[in-house]
């Protein structure tokens, strides 16, 4: 039997290991859990259908990812008895005016026939918006997508780790994976891409989320994720806390210290949406988002090592289905996605 040796235990490595172990394969994951690991820093939004990105290969991947999530989570939580923090409370997209809201509604509805998992899509009045998300004190026109969801990157990883062990796999927390490994090596190192083997042109961005506390008596947990104006979002973090995202800083450093300028920028963003409440800055969640130049994940062999990396800003959405598909491919089984779409070096 092939021994699959996986270097890097973020969502990419953990998901591949889980799906291989489910197929009764021998797996070992080596993970250093670097500070700045993207998976545990992530906001965890699962809602690809509202994106304006036009790249078809990317959309096929994230659409398949969102579709797979409910089944994946049910099996994983069922096997382990452990929560992943997955909640499907819908997604709200906010717009500057009702004209843009109308255009966005049409654009999203055009995807609905091919993505029934998106659920109901509707334009909301300000009153309907307040009913769904009573913390928001904004009058921006909104579109609601029922299938939107969120997951906790940390809890998901812990649950995957449990599942891998339960299925007979090994998870080794180590400062460095051994250089010489027998068997099939899968390299899923995120931002630390070229330490063990040649990289697949992966670079990284530092991304920061600000956890805020909203001072209010409202106490609701069934809150949709929010895509605000411009590239910002609001994710419920429990007990009147919300993640505000995000920053995009191209860097070659691995600096995970809090940055007051970024924190103030994110606080200013948040203040536009919680105008009737005071809000406090709490901690920052900082991660290194792995990217490729064409903003598609890289999936394929590089000098004898199988590399999966560059999951970008939608890696938590795509990670589970990538794991399923890569495991099937490596076992010679039919895949639903054409993985050569993500092999830039082919
Ligand atoms: C702030 C932020 C918000 C985000 N929000 C979202 C979101 O809302 N929705 C979404 O879908 N995606 C989101 N993402 C993107 C998503 O989190 C990433 O694409 C994904 O987590 C990348 O996973 P990965 O496994 O490739 O890398 P990582 O999670 O970074 O894991 C790589 C692992 O490899 C380990 N490693 C590296 N080298 C070695 C070695 N030699 N030996 C042993 N271990 C090694 C590292 O320590 C690390 O644990 C967000 C990302 C960030 C940073």
């Amino acid at each position: 039997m092939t021994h699959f040796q996986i270097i890097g235990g973020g969502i990419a490595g953990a998901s591949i290991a889980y799906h291989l172990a489910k197929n009764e394969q021998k797996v070992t994951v080596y993970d250093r859990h670097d500070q700045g690991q993207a998976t545990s820093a992530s906001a965890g939004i699962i809602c690809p259908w509202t994106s304006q990105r036009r790249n078809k290969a990317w959309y096929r991947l994230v659409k398949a990812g969102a579709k797979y999530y409910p089944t994946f989570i049910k099996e994983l939580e069922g096997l382990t008895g452990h929560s992943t923090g997955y909640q499907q409370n819908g997604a709200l997209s906010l717009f500057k005016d009702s004209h843009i809201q109308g255009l966005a509604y049409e654009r999203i509805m055009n995807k609905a026939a091919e993505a029934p998992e998106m659920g109901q899509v509707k334009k909301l009045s300000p009153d309907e918006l307040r009913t769904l998300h009573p913390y928001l004190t904004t009058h921006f026109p909104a579109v609601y997508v029922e299938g939107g969801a969120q997951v906790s990157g940390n809890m998901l990883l812990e649950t995957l780790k449990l599942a891998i062990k339960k299925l007979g796999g090994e998870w080794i927390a180590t400062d460095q994976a051994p250089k010489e490994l027998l068997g099939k090596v899968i390299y899923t190192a995120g931002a630390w891409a070229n330490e063990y083997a040649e990289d697949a042109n992966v670079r990284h961005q530092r991304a920061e989320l600000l956890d805020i506390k909203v001072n209010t008596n409202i106490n609701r947990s069934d809150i949709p994720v929010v895509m605000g104006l411009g590239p910002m979002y609001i994710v419920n973090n429990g007990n009147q806390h919300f993640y505000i995202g995000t920053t995009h800083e191209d860097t070659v450093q691995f600096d995970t210290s809090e940055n007051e300028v970024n924190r103030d920028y994110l606080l200013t963003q948040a203040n536009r949406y919680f105008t009737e409440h005071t809000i406090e800055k709490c901690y920052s969640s900082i991660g290194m988002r792995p990217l490729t130049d064409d903003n598609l994940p890289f999936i394929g062999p590089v000098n004898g090592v199988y590399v999966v990396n560059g999951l970008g800003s939608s890696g938590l959405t795509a990670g589970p289905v990538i794991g399923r598909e890569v495991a099937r491919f490596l076992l010679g089984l039919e895949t639903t996605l054409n993985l050569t779409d993500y092999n830039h070096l082919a």
Side-chain angles (χ1 to χ4, degrees):
M1 185 194 280
T2 309
H3 185 177
F4 291 93
Q5 313 256 18
I6 298 161
I7 301 168
I11 185 63
S15 172
I16 295 168
Y18 166 68
H19 287 91
L20 285 168
K22 254 180 51 149
N23 278 284
E24 295 170 3
Q25 302 299 308
K26 185 170 180 200
V27 295
T28 303
V29 180
Y30 298 90
D31 185 47
R32 206 165 55 195
H33 203 102
D34 284 279
Q35 278 215 357
Q37 185 204 65
T39 303
S40 47
S42 164
I45 300 173
I46 319 293
C47 185
W49 317 283
T50 55
S51 170
Q52 297 199 48
R53 215 178 140 186
R54 286 166 184 265
N55 185 292
K56 291 199 170 118
W58 172 80
Y59 184 64
R60 276 197 295 280
L61 180 63
V62 289
K63 177 173 160 298
K67 182 177 178 185
Y68 180 44
Y69 245 92
T71 312
F72 165 71
I73 295 290
K74 194 169 170 208
E75 277 183 16
L76 188 58
E77 291 186 345
L79 175 68
T80 57
H82 205 264
S83 169
T84 59
Y86 180 76
Q87 299 177 55
Q88 196 166 29
N89 295 326
L92 294 166
S93 293
L94 306 183
F95 304 97
K96 202 169 64 174
D97 57 43
S98 51
H99 174 67
I100 303 179
Q101 176 200 34
L103 294 175
Y105 175 75
E106 293 302 323
R107 179 170 49 75
I108 298 166
M109 280 304 289
N110 282 340
K111 297 178 183 166
E114 286 190 1
E117 58 279 3
M118 195 193 296
Q120 198 187 8
V121 180
K122 58 179 183 172
K123 290 194 233 176
L124 297 185
S125 68
D127 281 351
E128 289 172 314
L129 174 62
R130 290 290 286 268
T131 307
L132 273 170
H133 200 313
Y135 296 88
L136 291 181
T137 54
T138 146
H139 299 291
F140 295 119
V143 173
Y144 173 69
V145 177
E146 188 183 18
Q150 67 180 82
V151 69
S152 157
N154 250 326
M155 290 167 76
L156 176 57
L157 267 193
E158 284 309 310
T159 312
L160 279 167
K161 209 184 285 185
L162 271 179
I164 291 163
K165 289 182 184 168
K166 209 161 184 167
L167 293 166
E170 265 185 308
W171 185 288
I172 300 180
T174 170
D175 279 352
Q176 195 61 44
K179 281 282 175 200
E180 301 293 332
L181 289 171
L182 295 176
K184 178 93 186 157
V185 177
I186 304 172
Y187 190 38
T188 49
W192 299 268
N194 51 8
E195 293 174 12
Y196 176 88
E198 207 167 306
D199 72 83
N201 298 327
V202 175
R203 56 187 175 84
H204 67 270
Q205 282 177 339
R206 182 186 191 275
E208 190 158 342
L209 304 177
L210 177 66
D211 176 90
I212 57 158
K213 164 103 173 63
V214 179
N215 295 311
T216 167
N217 293 327
I218 303 165
N219 200 353
R220 279 252 313 264
S221 56
D222 56 337
I223 300 297
V225 295
V226 177
M227 262 66 85
L229 307 191
M232 73 83 63
Y233 51 75
I234 303 168
V235 179
N236 182 26
N237 206 9
N239 300 323
Q240 290 124 344
H241 282 256
F242 292 88
Y243 273 141
I244 307 298
T246 176
T247 56
H248 301 77
E249 292 171 74
D250 288 316
T251 179
V252 290
Q253 312 291 324
F254 290 88
D255 176 9
T256 53
S257 54
E258 289 190 339
N259 175 319
E260 220 39 50
V261 175
N262 289 345
R263 286 165 59 77
D264 285 342
Y265 161 76
L266 293 168
L267 183 71
T268 308
Q269 293 289 320
N271 269 318
R272 299 174 77 186
Y273 304 91
F274 298 97
T275 48
E276 287 169 20
H277 308 299
T278 56
I279 56 183
E280 293 164 35
K281 285 187 278 188
C282 300
Y283 67 94
S284 295
S285 170
I286 298 159
M288 304 299 153
R289 195 190 277 126
L291 295 170
T292 63
D293 282 342
D294 56 5
N295 279 315
L296 278 179
F298 179 85
I299 302 176
V302 183
N303 295 335
V305 173
Y306 199 82
V307 175
V308 179
N309 209 328
L311 272 56
S313 53
S314 46
L316 226 58
T317 307
V321 83
I322 288 178
R324 182 191 77 191
E325 296 290 284
V326 166
R328 291 188 67 81
F329 174 79
L330 293 174
L331 297 176
L333 303 170
E334 201 183 331
T335 59
T336 310
L337 292 165
N338 181 358
L339 293 184
T340 56
D341 285 350
Y342 311 100
N343 183 349
H344 323 213
L345 303 180

